[in-house]
Amino acid sequence: MPRTRKKFKTLSRNKLTELKPFLDALVEKIEQPDYINEDPVQFMHAFEDKRDQELAGFFAATMAWGRRDIVNAKVEELLQRMQYKPAEFIEHYSEDDFSAFDGFKHRTFKPIDMHWLTKILQTILLKYGSFERFWKHCADEAKCQKRELIAVFHEKIFTFHPEMPQRTRKHVSNPEKNSSAKRLYMYLRWCIRKNSPVDPGIMDFISPAELKIPLDVHVARQARKLGLLSRKQNDWKSVLELNARLKFLDPEDPAKYDYALFGIGVLGSEIPEKYIINRKVD
């Protein structure tokens, strides 16, 4: 007989309601200005021009893979190579500027990937005028097609340069391939959430209620301990399951709980015994 996959226990609605004050307090504790200094979101705060914020933030989120201190150092290096003028660099980029990326490496990112991502962004700016207008176009298409926003975004950006190598395409997630799309939803959290001491909230094409939580290994592990997530895989189905419970806690701003779950997992906050539902979580 086929083996059945063991699922973690999950909370009832009453138990979710009991958990809410603990998570809300954690969000309030962790979502503070000091958080910016250690997080890649700092590269959006480093610029005053919205165009620079949008583009620096996109590179920072796309490269947010691994330890935060290393990610921050590599994003800093990339922006230095752009002379700390990402919008101007991208708008005027040509084949002659490829040397700016010589020797650049971060995880599986290589100079050729930065070249093609820059060319994509340049084409978007030329065609739509701003990065936000392109996102709005994708959001409108997603609603018409009843598809996930990130899936449409993934599809649209690769129509501009079909000659782009497959290796570069892998750096942009697609939930229709069951990816959690963690980095892109982190970027959208930065761009969309308003009145936050951390998230700049510079875009308006969707509301915070439409955001999904950026699901990484740390967030997923703590969500399972708390009974917010039953699935073992960190995939798109898990994003939808977790987000449904977080929307029950706050229908207007479910992604804010990223701070609470990330804070438990990475910043060392303790979970009171009464809230732990699943003790054996890998």
Side-chain angles (χ1 to χ4, degrees):
M1 295 179 62
R3 295 172 61 184
T4 58
R5 292 181 178 177
K6 180 180 177 181
K7 287 194 173 185
F8 293 98
K9 297 176 183 176
T10 51
L11 295 174
S12 66
R13 292 200 163 201
N14 287 341
K15 291 293 184 181
L16 277 172
T17 301
E18 292 175 13
L19 179 64
K20 179 176 167 58
F22 167 67
L23 292 179
D24 285 345
L26 264 182
V27 171
E28 185 174 350
K29 174 185 176 183
I30 293 167
E31 190 183 10
Q32 295 292 332
D34 287 349
Y35 184 97
I36 295 168
N37 299 330
E38 306 298 326
D39 193 79
V41 73
Q42 67 182 271
F43 297 104
M44 292 189 75
H45 289 275
F47 297 96
E48 294 183 2
D49 189 285
K50 181 181 174 181
R51 299 179 311 153
D52 288 325
Q53 292 175 319
E54 290 174 342
L55 299 168
F58 179 72
F59 274 112
T62 302
M63 293 168 59
W65 180 13
R67 282 171 38 188
R68 288 198 298 168
D69 59 335
I70 295 176
V71 170
N72 291 341
K74 298 308 291 188
V75 176
E76 178 78 25
E77 178 188 339
L78 179 66
L79 291 173
Q80 184 181 35
R81 289 166 179 260
M82 295 179 174
Q83 300 182 341
Y84 297 106
K85 297 178 180 179
E88 181 178 319
F89 178 87
I90 291 166
E91 287 174 345
H92 297 96
Y93 183 76
S94 71
E95 302 293 331
D96 293 338
D97 298 315
F98 182 80
S99 60
F101 300 129
D102 281 351
F104 183 82
K105 189 178 189 313
H106 172 57
R107 305 294 291 236
T108 61
F109 289 92
K110 293 184 178 180
I112 191 64
D113 301 310
M114 312 321 291
H115 165 75
W116 281 109
L117 289 173
T118 299
K119 283 181 69 69
I120 287 173
L121 292 171
Q122 182 183 62
T123 302
I124 287 171
L125 295 180
L126 289 172
K127 184 176 176 61
Y128 292 90
S130 76
F131 200 29
E132 180 175 8
R133 288 197 193 105
F134 175 66
W135 276 102
K136 184 180 186 306
H137 171 73
C138 293
D140 292 343
E141 287 281 317
K143 289 175 182 176
C144 289
Q145 298 174 20
K146 297 183 179 179
R147 294 171 64 199
E148 180 56 41
L149 166 59
I150 299 298
V152 175
F153 175 83
H154 179 278
E155 177 181 274
K156 292 290 183 182
I157 65 170
F158 295 130
T159 61
F160 301 127
H161 294 283
E163 73 276 25
M164 185 191 314
Q166 184 62 31
R167 59 162 293 112
T168 304
R169 297 169 186 260
K170 292 180 180 179
H171 291 301
V172 180
S173 301
N174 182 1
E176 290 183 344
K177 299 291 186 181
N178 206 25
S179 167
S180 69
K182 172 255 179 178
R183 287 174 283 176
L184 285 173
Y185 264 113
M186 183 172 69
Y187 177 67
L188 291 182
R189 194 202 79 207
W190 295 346
C191 291
I192 297 298
R193 292 188 68 245
K194 309 293 189 230
N195 304 315
S196 166
V198 177
D199 297 324
I202 60 173
M203 295 184 181
D204 298 299
F205 66 92
I206 59 172
S207 73
E210 297 174 77
L211 292 174
K212 306 288 193 305
I213 191 166
L215 184 72
D216 66 8
V217 62
H218 306 292
V219 168
R221 184 180 296 120
Q222 306 312 318
R224 292 183 185 105
K225 284 183 182 178
L226 291 166
L228 294 168
L229 181 60
S230 67
R231 288 177 56 78
K232 295 181 69 174
Q233 300 80 9
N234 297 337
D235 57 13
W236 182 244
K237 292 177 183 177
S238 291
V239 172
L240 295 178
E241 179 189 340
L242 176 57
N243 219 70
R245 294 190 172 95
L246 299 180
K247 280 186 74 69
F248 175 80
L249 297 177
D250 189 338
E252 300 305 316
D253 191 13
K256 76 179 185 183
Y257 293 110
D258 185 35
Y259 288 105
L261 297 173
F262 182 78
I264 296 169
V266 174
L267 304 181
S269 299
E270 295 291 332
I271 303 178
E273 285 289 318
K274 65 178 180 178
Y275 294 127
I276 300 177
I277 302 300
N278 299 291
R279 298 186 180 279
K280 294 183 179 180
V281 176
D282 294 333

